[in-house]
Amino acid sequence: MKGRVGAARCLTEFKDRAIAALMISRTRERAQIPHLRSRRSMAMTGQSSCSSMSNHTKERVTMAKVTLENFYSNLIAQHEEREMRQQKLEKVMDQEGLADEEKRIRRSEHARKETEFLRLKRTRLGLEDFESLKVIGRGAFGEVRLVQKKDTGHVYAMKILRKADMLEKEQVGHIRAERDILVEADSLWVVKMFYSFQDKMNLYLIMEFLPGGDMMTLLMKMDTLSEEATQFYIAETVLAIDSIHQLSFIHRDIKPDNLLLDARGHVKLSDFGLCTGLKKAHRTDFYKNLNHSLPSDLSKQTFQNMNSKRKAETWKRNRRQLAFSTVGTPDYIAPEVFMQNGYNKLCDWWSLGVIMYEMLIGYPPFCSETPQETYRKVMNWRETLTFPPEVPISEKAKDLILRFCCEEEHRIGAVSVEEIKSNPFFEGVDYDHIRERPAAIPINIKSIDDTSNFDEFPDSDILTPTTTQVSNHSEADLKNKDWVFINYTYKRFEGLTARGAIPSYMKSGKR
């Protein structure tokens, strides 16, 4: 009861502050306008009062509206999540066949955790709560660091994104989509996000650290993968993609860089910045501009005259550079996405077919010296999707790749995911227990902060803004733009209530 009264009081105060802010803004505006009488007469004649609002006032109105909407939606979501946790507890206890007294103890422990969660959720989480250990990834808009939470000692991957870059490159929809999807997609197949927060300069996503690195790194270490290893990784990726399709999401950016490997070598999906299907605000014309030039060293290569070995070597040599640039690589994008005439979840299965080809052959089927040439090859896939005779693969593997990379209406998975899982290439795969079996390629983890499966990166000053960065963005300017990122803060129940949950294999360095 006290909690409800407190929440009601908080809501009332919140609304009062929002209304007061609007009134102050409106009063200031009127003080600056000399012709109020003419405006009143315009209103009397039926002209819209909205048209007399300045852009500043309209923005303040939008800010208040978004703030209130998010406040109410958070209250509802918090209640629903608490109910779901309670139902999950009851279901588990019934499955375990616990006695009434044991159930009472479990419920009491759960209630204490819920109370602790509410208390900790009210505390402000910030950069000072984490110790930065090492840079483990870098991209066009920020970087990923290995960090340790100071109070618990737990290790996480912190994704840092510069707000100024997000606004300048119109990436706000993408980062909002990623944050919202990571909150909703609570699955073994998706990288788990524990916290998100922001400061004046950056956005922060605190996610589980997966010490196995990513599939791109693994592929760069190997010439090719065996069909047995390919079967394992493709089967797990099928289950991972299906898990987000079941939530009505389309990933749209399935590529080796976004397939992470946990401490035991199993696959988890990451990077949902281009994921769509959740909210209208998340959609964007990301693929419309292909008129970028690649780094000069890549554009000098001539793929047409290379054999398979040289193609693989050239691809690996330039792959990292592509991953870190704003250009990216269109090699894994389905042709219907390029056409912008509408597409569905089947575009993710096309991307998986391209990855499967790369695992077995050593490079993707449409790799070229420029994005424009890659685009042309993807659009003319009927002529360009060929298999080099010097790298033999089985007919089952070849057939599945061609079932993935084909016309949308004939693509495997159009009926259901069972169509893919029952394909002859996956003969013998135990999907129900695949995550319990040893991975196709073992991952050796020596310590809690082992980063041996990641590239080396020099340190940066992203966490300590320079004088130039601060002077370019005044305090008022930063505050005015911050409303775009409202409701970005998030704290997961498991993250705040877990204590001493560092996996034993990470403590001992053994699998």
Side-chain angles (χ1 to χ4, degrees):
M1 188 64 184
K2 287 182 181 179
R4 291 179 182 174
V5 172
R9 187 183 298 117
C10 181
L11 177 57
T12 302
E13 291 174 359
F14 185 85
K15 290 166 69 178
D16 288 344
R17 286 199 300 271
I19 292 168
L22 284 175
M23 292 294 289
I24 291 170
S25 175
R26 192 66 170 157
T27 302
R28 285 176 179 170
E29 184 179 274
R30 284 177 174 171
Q32 296 168 359
I33 299 174
H35 304 295
L36 290 177
R37 287 183 181 178
S38 61
R39 292 200 171 190
R40 288 195 191 101
S41 63
M42 286 166 62
M44 291 291 287
T45 56
Q47 293 189 41
S48 171
S49 61
C50 246
S51 61
S52 66
M53 272 192 190
S54 70
N55 289 333
H56 173 72
T57 300
K58 288 178 183 177
E59 186 172 285
R60 295 299 292 268
V61 170
T62 304
M63 288 168 61
K65 178 184 175 184
V66 171
T67 302
L68 288 169
E69 285 178 351
N70 279 297
F71 183 83
Y72 281 114
S73 66
N74 282 343
L75 283 179
I76 294 169
Q78 184 175 303
H79 173 74
E80 289 177 345
E81 287 169 5
R82 185 163 183 154
E83 289 292 317
M84 284 177 61
R85 288 194 292 268
Q86 186 66 42
Q87 291 171 11
K88 186 177 180 180
L89 174 66
E90 296 294 334
K91 184 178 179 181
V92 169
M93 290 192 301
D94 288 340
Q95 288 175 347
E96 293 178 0
L98 298 182
D100 290 344
E101 179 60 21
E102 290 174 320
K103 286 184 178 181
R104 186 191 66 77
I105 294 172
R106 283 275 192 95
R107 292 190 188 105
S108 179
E109 290 173 352
H110 181 77
R112 279 198 297 271
K113 277 191 174 184
E114 289 286 0
T115 302
E116 182 185 15
F117 178 60
L118 289 175
R119 178 180 63 80
L120 293 172
K121 199 172 183 182
R122 289 191 292 269
T123 61
R124 187 177 181 84
L125 193 68
L127 197 57
E128 63 278 2
D129 295 298
F130 299 88
E131 180 185 353
S132 177
L133 303 178
K134 188 178 183 181
V135 179
I136 58 174
R138 186 161 287 147
F141 303 109
E143 65 185 31
V144 180
R145 288 180 175 241
L146 182 69
V147 298
Q148 188 167 31
K149 198 162 185 287
K150 293 177 181 178
D151 61 345
T152 64
H154 291 174
V155 170
Y156 300 99
M158 173 189 282
K159 186 173 184 177
I160 309 164
L161 298 164
R162 293 180 291 266
K163 283 184 179 180
D165 290 347
M166 294 294 101
L167 291 165
E168 183 183 349
K169 304 295 183 182
E170 299 181 346
Q171 298 290 307
V172 175
H174 295 163
I175 188 60
R176 290 297 317 208
E178 180 172 32
R179 179 262 181 210
D180 292 348
I181 289 161
L182 287 172
V183 168
E184 189 165 338
D186 188 9
S187 165
L188 287 172
W189 298 106
V190 174
V191 61
K192 190 182 289 293
M193 182 183 75
F194 290 98
Y195 315 105
S196 62
F197 56 90
Q198 60 179 300
D199 58 23
K200 292 177 183 177
M201 304 303 295
N202 300 317
L203 301 172
Y204 303 91
L205 295 168
I206 308 297
M207 297 177 287
E208 63 178 319
F209 171 54
L210 300 177
D214 60 40
M215 185 59 65
M216 179 178 75
T217 303
L218 182 66
L219 291 177
M220 289 178 70
K221 287 179 181 177
M222 320 280 288
D223 288 331
T224 56
L225 299 187
S226 67
E227 292 207 7
E228 182 183 6
T230 300
Q231 182 199 61
F232 172 79
Y233 290 118
I234 296 297
E236 287 212 330
T237 308
V238 166
L239 296 177
I241 293 173
D242 182 55
S243 72
I244 64 167
H245 286 177
Q246 288 181 28
L247 295 171
S248 300
F249 301 150
I250 307 172
H251 193 286
R252 297 199 303 176
D253 198 24
I254 300 293
K255 56 186 179 181
D257 320 50
N258 296 335
L259 302 181
L260 302 186
L261 301 174
D262 67 15
R264 297 180 58 246
H266 293 271
V267 169
K268 285 201 176 194
L269 270 182
S270 73
D271 203 341
F272 294 85
L274 297 183
C275 201
T276 187
L278 183 63
K279 295 178 181 177
K280 187 184 292 186
H282 298 159
R283 298 170 192 165
T284 185
D285 297 329
F286 178 76
Y287 300 108
K288 64 185 178 184
N289 187 10
L290 291 171
N291 299 316
H292 295 290
S293 60
L294 279 178
S296 57
D297 60 338
L298 181 61
S299 61
K300 291 175 184 176
Q301 305 298 330
T302 308
F303 277 66
Q304 278 74 9
N305 300 324
M306 295 182 186
N307 59 27
S308 296
K309 185 177 180 181
R310 287 195 61 204
K311 276 188 180 180
E313 290 172 352
T314 304
W315 173 251
K316 289 177 182 178
R317 186 166 59 250
N318 296 286
R319 186 61 172 84
R320 278 295 183 195
Q321 195 170 7
L322 280 169
F324 302 150
S325 71
T326 54
V327 177
T329 171
D331 285 83
Y332 307 94
I333 300 171
E336 64 265 22
V337 176
F338 282 129
M339 292 173 68
Q340 298 185 50
N341 293 327
Y343 53 86
N344 54 34
K345 64 183 181 181
L346 295 177
C347 68
D348 288 340
W349 298 130
W350 170 285
S351 303
L352 187 58
V354 176
I355 293 173
M356 182 176 171
Y357 182 105
E358 183 176 356
M359 286 178 174
L360 294 170
I361 304 299
Y363 55 88
F366 310 111
C367 63
S368 302
E369 57 267 33
T370 65
Q372 293 82 8
E373 182 60 26
T374 298
Y375 166 78
R376 283 190 287 271
K377 283 188 176 183
V378 172
M379 299 308 293
N380 294 298
W381 59 269
R382 292 174 181 83
E383 290 76 38
T384 57
L385 179 54
T386 58
F387 296 89
E390 62 269 26
V391 187
I393 62 174
S394 70
E395 288 302 316
K396 288 182 180 179
K398 193 179 297 185
D399 176 72
L400 181 57
I401 291 170
L402 294 175
R403 292 293 312 280
F404 278 132
C405 300
C406 65
E407 297 90 349
E408 190 179 1
E409 58 270 23
H410 299 140
R411 195 170 301 159
I412 192 169
V415 177
S416 73
V417 71
E418 296 302 323
E419 186 183 9
I420 300 174
K421 291 162 70 174
S422 61
N423 185 272
F425 180 76
F426 297 117
E427 185 179 358
V429 173
D430 182 1
Y431 290 99
D432 294 332
H433 302 96
I434 191 170
R435 206 169 183 91
E436 298 164 17
R437 62 160 279 190
I441 300 175
I443 302 292
N444 295 314
I445 306 300
K446 299 180 178 64
S447 65
I448 188 174
D449 56 354
D450 186 358
T451 58
S452 58
N453 293 303
F454 294 84
D455 283 347
E456 291 292 327
F457 295 90
D459 207 352
S460 73
D461 60 357
I462 193 170
L463 298 179
T464 53
T466 62
T467 307
T468 306
Q469 287 175 313
V470 174
S471 61
N472 287 343
H473 304 281
S474 67
E475 188 83 16
D477 186 44
L478 290 168
K479 283 185 177 179
N480 287 337
K481 290 179 177 178
D482 257 5
W483 75 271
V484 177
F485 303 105
I486 199 168
N487 197 35
Y488 194 79
T489 301
Y490 173 75
K491 299 182 182 77
R492 188 176 290 277
F493 180 80
E494 296 95 322
L496 286 183
T497 58
R499 290 291 181 272
I502 299 173
S504 58
Y505 64 82
M506 297 188 92
K507 290 179 181 176
S508 62
K510 298 176 182 178
R511 287 185 63 250

